Amino acid sequence: MSVTYQAIGWNRAKKVYDGVLVSGLALYLGVFIGVGAIVHPNATLETLLIRGMGTAALLLLHIILAIGPLCRLDKRFLPLLYNRRHLGVTMFVLALAHGVFSLIQFHALGDVNPLISLFASNMRYGSIADFPFQVLGFFALLILFMMAATSHDFWLNTLSAPVWKRLHMMVYLAYGLLIAHVALGVLQSETSSVLAAVVGVGMTVVIVLHIAAGTVEWRKDNFVAACEIDAIPENRACVVSCGSERVAVFKYGGMISAISNVCQHQNGPLGEGKIIDGCITCPWHGYQYLPDTGASPPPFTEKVATYRTKIVGQLVYVDPQPLPPGTRVPPTEIP
Ligand code: HEM
Ligand code: FES
């Protein structure tokens, strides 16, 4: 660690977060072991602990994976994101305890090193029912270890954000290995379908949230290059095709606004008109629209779709997603 390293303050929100996490886990393990002992009276405490810690770790991993997309969909989830690394490290500790207890219970009683026994005692990789599923858990645990060990800000600064991010994206590989660990392991011997249903619901939630957040991001970042700022004459437009729509991008008074190219009167080409008295004026019969809202000035009620714009360097970009007719979009200022 370098001399310039600064510890992060331990504020009240973090203490509450960790308090809720630890009490939630204690409650989960208590209920799991209590109910497990009633439903499976022959199960030993070690077995119940192994199962309780394994399921708690996998449940936490689902929560961790859901937090990212939830925050993209709704900013109210952001407080969960700030301390997500505490969840990650706690999940790793649970997974490690589960793995070590399993190694002791299933591999430490013979005369072979438990780690060698883990890899050598079952080589039936071609079988679904008898697949050596514990090996999958071992490799997932290795990834989780790497992530937990580098979770501190010190490593984020030392490794640089892109390398750290790539390393932590391996959580998805670990997740896949763990789903296979459970599907090829305990689900092969379970007679009840409850666990399979829970795993199925968990996977569906994680996948659906990622697709929904991905779609929102894709829409946000899908701006298309329209034209150079200098290529648009003052108070006039350049016209660009966005999918099946044509969009008129106007330049006026140091600002850029984009609206649909199609006039509400008789589909006249608004992009061939010009701005007169602050209004985009259709070249065919003179209908007018305000550039930022796409609405005709009162008392008229016509409205056309508006589009978001941005400027990068000398280029104007347009978001191809039309906004409902009349939606105000703040004009983009020309730097
Ligand atoms: C060295 C690594 C690991 C070993 C040797 C191992 C071993 C095992 C064994 C033997 C079982 C079956 C337990 C039983 O049927 O009683 C099991 C189940 C399970 N493991 Fe692992 N595991 C490892 C890593 C992990 C990790 C990293 C996770 C999650 C983060 C995990 C999650 C689970 C879950 C959810 C189950 C099903 C629990 C249940 O029976 O309901 N395992 N594991
Ligand atoms: S088509 Fe635009 S005013 Fe008639």
Side-chain angles (χ1 to χ4, degrees):
M1 227 168 263
S2 85
V3 281
T4 55
Y5 167 72
Q6 281 195 341
I8 302 165
W10 212 252
N11 58 26
R12 189 174 171 276
K14 287 190 180 190
K15 285 183 191 155
V16 171
Y17 196 101
D18 289 350
V20 171
L21 173 60
V22 171
S23 4
L25 273 179
L27 184 69
Y28 176 87
L29 286 176
V31 170
F32 189 96
I33 292 173
V35 173
I38 296 168
V39 178
H40 303 287
N42 297 329
T44 62
L45 180 61
E46 289 87 334
T47 301
L48 290 173
L49 261 178
I50 286 175
R51 296 186 139 206
M53 289 189 296
T55 52
L58 195 59
L59 179 67
L60 261 185
L61 183 56
H62 277 86
I63 295 174
I64 291 165
L65 290 178
I67 288 176
L70 278 176
C71 289
R72 289 218 163 90
L73 293 170
D74 191 330
K75 299 225 171 325
R76 278 171 296 180
F77 288 102
L78 274 176
L80 291 178
L81 188 77
Y82 298 139
N83 277 359
R84 186 166 54 163
R85 278 182 260 176
H86 291 203
L87 288 187
V89 174
T90 310
M91 183 262 297
F92 166 69
V93 171
L94 279 168
L96 179 68
H98 162 90
V100 169
F101 272 48
S102 299
L103 275 181
I104 296 172
Q105 171 131 332
F106 298 100
H107 299 280
L109 301 177
D111 48 9
V112 181
N113 178 313
L115 273 181
I116 296 181
S117 163
L118 172 69
F119 286 96
S121 60
N122 175 5
M123 305 289 273
R124 289 185 290 280
Y125 284 94
S127 152
I128 289 193
D130 289 328
F131 191 90
F133 67 95
Q134 297 185 34
V135 171
L136 302 174
F138 177 83
F139 285 115
L141 193 58
L142 271 190
I143 297 175
L144 300 181
F145 166 71
M146 235 165 37
M147 291 172 51
T150 58
S151 70
H152 200 277
D153 274 346
F154 168 74
W155 286 105
L156 179 57
N157 294 332
T158 308
L159 294 171
S160 82
V163 173
W164 192 88
K165 171 102 185 165
R166 249 175 270 146
L167 188 77
H168 283 246
M169 287 305 272
M170 285 178 75
V171 70
Y172 291 102
L173 175 58
Y175 181 65
L177 286 170
L178 288 172
I179 294 296
H181 174 68
V182 174
L184 293 167
V186 74
L187 289 189
Q188 297 297 318
S189 51
E190 272 283 315
T191 42
S192 136
S193 51
V194 174
L195 188 60
V198 171
V199 173
V201 169
M203 268 177 70
T204 311
V205 168
V206 167
I207 292 170
V208 168
L209 280 177
H210 277 77
I211 292 175
T215 311
V216 167
E217 287 297 303
W218 179 78
R219 283 197 179 145
K220 253 194 230 161
D221 285 333
N222 203 29
F223 281 76
V224 292
C227 45
E228 291 210 356
I229 301 170
D230 291 346
I232 315 175
E234 180 66 12
N235 289 328
R236 298 260 182 184
C238 74
V239 177
V240 51
S241 290
C242 290
S244 56
E245 302 295 327
R246 282 167 73 73
V247 179
V249 183
F250 276 89
K251 178 163 106 179
Y252 57 104
M255 290 178 295
I256 296 284
S257 285
I259 67 169
S260 162
N261 191 48
V262 182
C263 180
Q264 283 291 288
H265 180 216
Q266 285 175 9
N267 297 343
L270 290 175
E272 290 172 27
K274 59 181 174 183
I275 296 192
I276 300 173
D277 297 332
C279 289
I280 295 168
T281 307
C282 181
W284 284 5
H285 316 97
Y287 271 44
Q288 290 194 306
Y289 304 89
L290 292 162
D292 56 341
T293 61
S296 295
F300 304 104
T301 52
E302 284 74 18
K303 286 177 190 159
V304 294
T306 49
Y307 292 81
R308 289 194 192 89
T309 56
K310 69 178 180 185
I311 293 174
V312 181
Q314 273 303 301
L315 273 180
V316 181
Y317 288 80
V318 176
D319 180 354
Q321 194 66 28
L323 296 167
T327 306
R328 181 174 188 279
V329 177
T332 303
E333 281 185 31
I334 300 173

